[in-house]
Amino acid sequence: MLKKYPFYTVSLIVLAIVQQFVVSKLVIFGATPDILAVFIAFTSVMLGQRTGTNYGFAAGLFLGFLSGNIGLSALVGTVEGFLAGYYHVPEESYATTVKKRRMFYFASATALVAGNLLFALLINPMAVPLYFRIPSLLVIGTLSSMVLTVLMYQLVLKKLQKD
Amino acid sequence: MLSFFRFLARHTAYLFLLLYCSISVLLMQLQRKETLEAIRSRGLSVNASVAEQMSAVSDLFSLKQYNEHLLLQNARLFSTVVHQGQAIRDSRNLNAMVAKDSAHAYNRFIVARVVDRRFSHTDNTIIINAGWRRGVEKDMAVLTPDGLVGRVTKVTENYAKVMPVINKSFKVSVVSDSSSTYGVLSWNGGNETLAHMENVPASSRLKAGEHLATSDHSTFAVRGIPVGKIVRVSGNKLFSDIDVRLYIDYSSLTYVLVSPEKASPEKLEIMYNEEVKPKIPQKPFGR
């Protein structure tokens, strides 16, 4: 179990860099997919709410250092990790793969909705009114990230979950 | 006390959440502070340098596309240069035409550009970019300062169809300058610079080298428009066979003038209608 922590730490740092320099360029009506939130949710589901919250805060802090919004990114990461932790599947449980997958999808969706909502409320990247900004970021940001969630799970995270 | 620690241990996640949220909010509030500003600046410089490196790498992959874009842009610019060069040449021609046309009242003419031409052995036509909106009417004469080009046969809003001299259906009454011999100029096909003068009696004093211009007998052109020069006169018993070299070079015709002056309608009426009733003003009855 302890061996997993360095892996998750390195993964979160790498994904924060990828998020900042690659994924953030995919702007769809002002919203961008959030690959880091997906992995924070995965971490919370796998390692628990407390660890997920810690990782969320650290990853958000690092992403904020790169993007310039240290406080906001840290807050968003923390909330995402905490909320996704409610879907934690303990390692000793005998949950089926289907259940694990479902929990991960729920965790991702919850984290993404909360993260995008916070982001829309506290920052105005599109310089548009709140009544347009919130639905736009919530819908487009969450949907595009959920597509990434499914892709990431099917390609990579499924194998990690089995290990 | 023990139960308090148990409570804390049970709800560490909430405590962490509270702690991290507080730190985050504090960081948001202190964003303007110097230390945090310095950290943010450092982060942004790292961000910028990495982005620059990544951009340089991606530039390598996009070089082909960039080259294609440059080629297209080059082609567009070249096209513009060619068109502008053509426009300058056209403008020069027009200016030369205006300067040359001092004898004519240029302002009265409608200037038009040849936009299309159909040349064949039998049916040649020219399209000009002036229609009834600019005052062009059917049967107006089309000319350049060099000479007669043809006559307008069809007019639309912005264009007019011109039957040139080198059309088998075209005929115009002409008169020579020295001997004042009248005849009808027509074109029989073939060489586009050579026309023929018909209906000239063999007894006429017409000689090669004489210049021809439109005459008063014309049904559409005003008199005095140069047409061509006689290059050969050969005769039979009744009529002379006369070759005329036209002044207009149709291969390089770009701008033309449309003469708004037409033959008098009254003259045409009396020429073509046998039963013309004279309109004599009557004296009013009574005192």
Side-chain angles (χ1 to χ4, degrees), chain B residues 66-77:
Chain B
Y66 189 65
N67 273 339
E68 282 172 2
H69 174 72
L70 280 177
L71 275 172
L72 276 174
Q73 199 174 33
N74 207 12
R76 272 199 298 273
L77 286 171

Side-chain angles (χ1 to χ4, degrees), chain B:
Chain B
M1 194 66 182
L2 192 66
S3 61
F4 177 71
F5 281 116
R6 274 183 193 156
F7 176 81
L8 285 182
R10 209 174 293 161
H11 298 94
T12 42
Y14 289 95
L15 285 175
F16 277 124
L17 175 72
L18 201 64
L19 178 69
Y20 292 150
C21 283
S22 306
I23 294 170
S24 301
V25 172
L26 197 67
L27 286 171
M28 285 164 75
Q29 292 297 321
L30 297 175
Q31 267 196 1
R32 297 288 164 205
K33 293 287 178 190
E34 282 181 11
T35 315
L36 204 62
E37 189 65 33
I39 295 171
R40 285 182 66 213
S41 304
R42 185 68 61 84
L44 284 176
S45 65
V46 170
N47 186 354
S49 65
V50 174
E52 192 183 352
Q53 295 301 320
M54 288 183 74
S55 161
V57 172
S58 66
D59 279 354
L60 276 176
F61 293 105
S62 60
L63 268 180
K64 189 183 173 191
Q65 196 182 356
Y66 189 65
N67 273 339
E68 282 172 2
H69 174 72
L70 280 177
L71 275 172
L72 276 174
Q73 199 174 33
N74 207 12
R76 272 199 298 273
L77 286 171
F78 183 65
S79 164
T80 310
V81 167
V82 167
H83 278 97
Q84 283 180 349
Q86 186 64 44
I88 288 168
R89 277 194 293 278
D90 287 350
S91 171
R92 276 191 201 136
N93 288 343
L94 193 62
N95 288 338
M97 201 160 77
V98 171
K100 204 173 175 182
D101 191 37
S102 56
H104 290 78
Y106 174 75
N107 287 335
R108 288 185 302 166
F109 292 133
I110 300 158
V111 180
R113 192 161 56 85
V114 176
V115 292
D116 195 12
R117 58 183 83 194
R118 302 270 161 79
F119 284 170
S120 67
H121 288 292
T122 54
D123 189 21
N124 298 328
T125 50
I126 293 170
I127 307 293
I128 57 173
N129 68 343
W132 54 257
R133 189 178 277 276
R134 287 175 58 192
V136 176
E137 290 174 20
K138 194 184 170 190
D139 287 338
M140 281 183 172
V142 180
L143 61 144
T144 72
D146 291 331
L148 183 71
V149 173
R151 73 191 287 182
V152 175
T153 55
K154 195 174 182 182
V155 185
T156 62
E157 186 178 355
N158 294 309
Y159 297 97
K161 188 176 179 181
V162 177
M163 180 196 287
V165 176
I166 52 170
N167 185 305
K168 280 189 172 178
S169 305
F170 185 92
K171 287 187 189 306
V172 63
S173 176
V174 290
V175 61
S176 66
D177 58 349
S178 300
S179 60
S180 299
T181 306
Y182 285 85
V184 175
L185 187 88
S186 65
W187 184 72
N188 298 329
N191 191 337
E192 66 175 33
T193 60
L194 271 185
H196 302 279
M197 193 174 169
E198 301 167 350
N199 299 345
V200 178
S203 58
S204 75
R205 292 177 286 116
L206 203 64
K207 291 174 185 172
E210 280 195 58
H211 297 277
L212 296 178
T214 53
S215 77
D216 264 334
H217 302 180
S218 172
T219 54
F220 69 94
V222 290
R223 67 173 180 167
I225 301 172
V227 175
K229 185 180 175 183
I230 295 172
V231 290
R232 191 178 66 85
V233 180
S234 59
N236 53 28
K237 286 180 183 176
L238 291 175
F239 295 103
S240 298
D241 186 13
I242 300 160
D243 288 344
V244 179
R245 185 165 297 283
L246 298 171
Y247 289 138
I248 298 294
D249 179 8
Y250 287 93
S251 62
S252 63
L253 194 63
T254 312
Y255 280 95
V256 294
L257 306 170
V258 182
S259 170
E261 287 182 28
K262 295 201 296 187
S264 163
E266 195 179 334
K267 187 185 97 177
L268 295 178
E269 194 177 356
I270 203 166
M271 190 183 288
Y272 293 113
N273 193 352
E274 293 294 329
E275 297 173 356
V276 177
K277 290 178 181 175
K279 291 175 184 172
I280 302 165
Q282 292 180 343
K283 283 183 181 177
F285 291 104
R287 285 184 285 181

Side-chain angles (χ1 to χ4, degrees), chain A residues 16-44:
Chain A
I17 293 169
V18 171
Q19 172 68 32
Q20 178 58 30
F21 296 109
V22 182
V23 183
S24 65
K25 304 287 187 287
L26 305 170
V27 182
I28 310 161
F29 295 107
T32 54
D34 195 348
I35 197 171
L36 193 65
V38 176
F39 199 75
I40 288 171
F42 182 76
T43 311
S44 283

Side-chain angles (χ1 to χ4, degrees), chain A residues 67-89:
Chain A
S67 66
N69 288 312
I70 299 176
L72 181 63
S73 284
L75 181 68
V76 169
T78 305
V79 171
E80 284 172 349
F82 179 79
L83 290 177
Y86 280 110
Y87 301 93
H88 171 53
V89 181

